[in-house]
């Protein structure tokens, strides 16, 4: 359902390692596409027929219609390593990453993924020129493009994965059958990071997440729903923590 390029075999990556994927550049085609259809996504209940829309991309802007244009915000919808156990389709997110549809997975971000098989077997695709959190209509501005990444194999890395860092935020990402379960998973993953890596006690870690943590929905339209818990990098810097 979501074409993905790969898998890439990463030399030296072994089960138990963490693969750091630095997203250096995302280059986009000159047009994107959207579609809606009955029964697809949240808004599928409101339509009675299928519709496809071509959206021109020009001067770093997506033209939605004659009245509306929006700045591009390039992101990778599908990015993951091989899952544990049996294979998994590219339309489904999980502990391996996959179809997380997280709007923060863009240029300048570093994504930390688990290595479950020799070589990690990294694949990615499902690029978007722009998408809102939730991806409620089952698609963003789907677009062809090219992604440049830098890969680093980390040994003995204790980060909960998938984990995402950009120049402002640290984010724990979790996918589960329901949004409620995904919310709990993302929150507890970040709580574990605060106690395990920053050395905060369990009480302050929970309080901190209620004070400055933001729980955000990535997508609600895939077989598993995806949520992220964000904290500002100022928190990690205050504790002298440096990401590998």
């Amino acid at each position: 359902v979501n074409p993905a390029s790969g898998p890439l075999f990463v030399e030296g990556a072994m089960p138990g390692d963490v693969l750091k994927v630095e997203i250096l550049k995302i280059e986009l085609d000159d047009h994107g596409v959207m579609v809606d259809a009955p029964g697809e996504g949240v808004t599928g209940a409101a339509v009675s027929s299928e519709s496809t829309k071509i959206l021109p991309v020009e001067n770093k802007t997506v033209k939605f219609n004659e009245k509306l244009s929006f700045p591009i915000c390039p992101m990778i919808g599908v990015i993951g390593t091989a899952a544990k156990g049996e294979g998994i389709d590219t339309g489904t997110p999980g502990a391996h990453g996959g179809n997380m549809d997280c709007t923060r997975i863009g240029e300048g971000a570093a994504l930390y993924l688990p290595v479950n098989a020799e070589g990690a077997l990294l694949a990615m695709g499902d690029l978007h020129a722009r998408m809102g959190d939730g991806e409620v209509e089952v698609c963003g501005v789907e677009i062809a493009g090219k992604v440049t990444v830098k890969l680093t194999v980390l040994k003995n890395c204790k980060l909960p994965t998938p984990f995402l860092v950009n120049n402002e935020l640290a984010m724990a990402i979790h996918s589960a059958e329901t949004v409620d379960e995904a919310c709990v998973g993302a929150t507890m993953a970040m709580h574990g990071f605060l106690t395990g890596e920053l050395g905060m006690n369990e009480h302050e870690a929970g309080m901190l997440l209620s004070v400055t943590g933001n729980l955000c929905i990535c997508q609600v339209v895939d077989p598993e729903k995806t949520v992220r818990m964000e904290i500002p990098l100022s928190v990690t810097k205050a504790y002298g923590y440096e990401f590998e």
Side-chain angles (χ1 to χ4, degrees), residues 76-240:
I76 305 171
V78 171
I79 181 168
T81 50
K84 281 186 177 180
E86 297 183 3
I88 188 167
D89 67 81
T90 55
T92 302
H96 67 295
N99 193 25
M100 297 178 287
D101 285 311
C102 173
T103 56
R104 304 289 193 189
I105 302 178
E107 284 188 3
L111 178 64
Y112 297 81
L113 294 168
V115 177
N116 300 311
E118 183 179 358
L121 306 181
L122 176 71
M124 68 185 74
D126 188 32
L127 299 184
H128 303 98
R130 186 181 179 92
M131 192 191 86
D133 282 330
E135 199 185 26
V136 294
E137 201 201 33
V138 89
C139 69
V141 182
E142 312 289 322
I143 194 166
K146 182 166 64 174
V147 181
T148 304
V149 297
K150 176 183 176 182
L151 306 180
T152 307
V153 177
L154 303 178
K155 306 289 184 179
N156 302 311
C157 178
K158 303 300 182 184
L159 285 178
T161 53
F163 200 88
L164 185 67
V165 179
N166 62 20
N167 60 359
E168 296 180 348
L169 301 166
M171 294 155 273
I173 303 173
H174 191 85
S175 300
E177 187 174 348
T178 68
V179 172
D180 286 354
E181 291 171 310
C183 286
V184 172
T187 300
M188 295 311 296
M190 185 61 80
H191 188 277
F193 167 75
L194 295 175
T195 56
E197 297 301 292
L198 269 57
M200 297 184 73
N201 69 52
E202 59 188 5
H203 305 294
E204 280 201 336
M207 293 175 186
L208 177 74
L209 291 178
S210 267
V211 169
T212 194
N214 286 317
L215 200 54
C216 307
I217 292 174
C218 297
Q219 60 79 26
V220 294
V221 296
D222 298 333
E224 301 270 310
K225 316 309 176 190
T226 306
V227 169
R228 67 184 183 271
M229 169 56 84
E230 304 179 340
I231 62 168
L233 279 189
S234 58
V235 172
T236 61
K237 291 176 180 177
Y239 279 78

